[in-house]
Amino acid sequence: MLDETLLDDPDALARVDRRGLLRGAAEAGARVRTAARHAAEAGVTELNPEGRPRAILIAGPGTAAACVADLVATLAGASAPVARLHSTGVAAAAGALRWTLPGWAGSVDLLLITTADGSEPGLALLAEQAYRRGITVVAVAPQRSPLAEAVGDTHGLVVPMATAPHELTDEESQSASPAALWALFTPLLALLDRVGLVTAPADALQKVADRLDRTAERCGPAVATYSNPAKTLAAELADTLPLIWTEGLAAAPIGRRFATVLAELAGRPAFAAELPEALAAHGTLLAGDFAAGADPEDFFRDRVEEAQALHARVVLLRDRPVGGLTAAPAARELALSHDTTISELEPENGTADDGTADLAAFAELLAVTDFAAVYLALASRRTPT
């Protein structure tokens, strides 16, 4: 059950937020600026590549690294194929994970390694394997970590992961913080701008940081639920099965990340799909056991000792303004025809004039959904331990 009174009590939120998740979300803008500075100091902005890589390979553990790979694939996928290298192993522990290069990877490809830990021996072995094949390696990892040393020893480029002072003695808080995403993602944006796969110059990264700051002001703990989009969304998702329907270039990976962090942070199952395919993929969920009007004949049954049944709620994430070719009206009609409530989230600006994703719009959607997942976790008392 969601404790809605907790949402409007900043002091109580701070007490239950033992992992510093809200602080991490609020510091995302500062993390972008620090990460961009680290990238410049590491020499990323001075690179003069001879041409675009044939393919980009991405490896790293955890939710943040997986989302980074998804975002890079979305942004650069039209210019070069992007493949995430999935880990294998007998456990999720850093020492048990292993990564392997595909047989076709060679000197014309680029390997990106992202990790908020840096102690994974499997990533160090991957960097050595890439060096033997002549593959360029760029890693974003904690400074002076074993991985950073290993990549440096094989003539790769290392960008120190941006951290906040309070995280230096709290590795668990760092790995769980939503800010970890931007600490890992920002240097890669600067790098991909240099190789011509993404348009992300320094001024664009500054706009991303500014948008994250403004979003943090709108979604912060001191802002009441009625005017706070993240708290409102968290309250709307209480005791529901979120069906996250996305539309637009930027929204798809954000929807997938939202479903992942809802499960990881709030213990809430959620499904993400892209419009218009989502209408068919999730239509049965709206008409089945999760429908708002499911099982109406048991109205008089005593439910005091029973957990409340989950009912589907559609969350419509869009990265484009209303108008043009869109499946949003059909999505609303389908949801309402099954008495299913719907939440809608859209950034100030969506797709840019040239049809590419607006990085600032990317940032806003990510920030609001991250804040919402954290609020839902805290108010449900389901933060990870």
Side-chain angles (χ1 to χ4, degrees):
M1 295 293 292
L2 185 78
D3 183 359
E4 294 194 33
T5 61
L6 188 67
L7 289 177
D8 286 325
D9 189 338
D11 293 334
L13 282 170
R15 286 194 297 270
V16 299
D17 188 13
R18 299 182 181 88
R19 304 291 290 275
L21 298 175
L22 278 175
R23 184 172 184 174
E27 292 174 346
R31 199 65 54 96
V32 168
R33 296 184 182 90
T34 303
R37 187 177 70 250
H38 285 184
E41 293 172 350
V44 169
T45 55
E46 302 300 323
L47 292 176
N48 292 304
E50 297 178 357
R52 294 181 177 181
R54 177 184 63 176
I56 300 173
L57 307 171
I58 304 180
T63 299
C67 183
V68 166
D70 200 4
L71 292 172
V72 169
T74 298
L75 293 173
S79 302
V82 178
R84 184 189 174 209
L85 303 183
H86 294 272
S87 61
T88 60
V90 298
L97 299 175
R98 294 292 183 270
W99 289 263
T100 304
L101 289 171
W104 51 262
S107 59
V108 293
D109 302 314
L110 172 65
L111 172 62
L112 306 177
I113 300 177
T114 58
T115 174
D117 186 334
S119 67
E120 304 90 348
L123 288 177
L125 292 173
L126 180 68
E128 293 175 6
Q129 184 184 3
Y131 173 69
R132 290 194 298 270
R133 294 201 199 178
I135 300 173
T136 301
V137 179
V138 178
V140 183
Q143 194 170 25
R144 292 184 293 275
S145 64
L147 175 64
E149 295 178 2
V151 172
D153 290 342
T154 56
H155 305 287
L157 176 63
V158 180
V159 180
M161 179 181 173
T163 59
H166 62 87
E167 291 178 338
L168 297 179
T169 57
D170 189 355
E171 294 181 1
E172 290 186 353
S173 175
Q174 175 180 324
S175 63
S177 170
L181 169 67
W182 290 105
L184 297 174
F185 185 40
T186 302
L188 299 189
L189 283 174
L191 173 68
L192 296 176
D193 177 75
R194 294 302 300 171
V195 299
L197 296 179
V198 172
T199 303
D203 60 338
L205 296 181
Q206 180 60 48
K207 291 178 181 178
V208 166
D210 292 343
R211 182 75 71 91
L212 287 170
D213 287 344
R214 293 201 303 271
T215 305
E217 292 174 358
R218 294 168 50 218
C219 298
V223 180
T225 299
Y226 68 85
S227 58
N228 186 319
K231 287 183 179 181
T232 298
L233 182 57
E236 290 172 346
L237 295 182
D239 303 314
T240 71
L241 175 67
L243 303 181
I244 303 167
W245 295 353
T246 64
E247 185 174 59
L249 180 66
I254 295 171
R256 290 188 286 268
R257 171 177 166 82
F258 191 29
T260 300
V261 295
L262 283 174
E264 183 172 317
L265 297 183
R268 181 62 49 85
F271 298 96
E274 299 179 46
L275 290 174
E277 289 86 354
L279 304 179
H282 292 169
T284 303
L285 288 171
L286 297 181
D289 293 339
F290 297 104
D295 207 9
E297 297 181 359
D298 70 346
F299 179 80
F300 295 102
R301 192 178 72 224
D302 185 3
R303 294 181 176 82
V304 173
E305 301 299 328
E306 298 180 13
Q308 184 173 345
L310 291 179
H311 293 308
R313 184 182 186 97
V314 170
V315 180
L316 183 58
L317 296 183
R318 306 178 68 225
D319 73 340
R320 63 184 65 174
V322 176
L325 185 63
T326 173
R332 299 184 189 103
E333 182 179 353
L334 178 63
L336 296 176
S337 68
H338 290 91
D339 297 322
T340 300
T341 50
I342 185 168
S343 302
E344 298 194 36
L345 189 61
E346 187 175 291
E348 295 176 1
N349 298 301
T351 306
D353 293 337
D354 60 358
T356 60
D358 183 339
L359 289 178
F362 238 61
E364 183 180 339
L365 276 179
L366 274 169
V368 174
T369 52
D370 272 349
F371 266 109
V374 170
Y375 282 127
L376 187 58
L378 296 177
S380 302
R381 309 298 175 98
R382 289 183 177 176
T383 52
T385 57

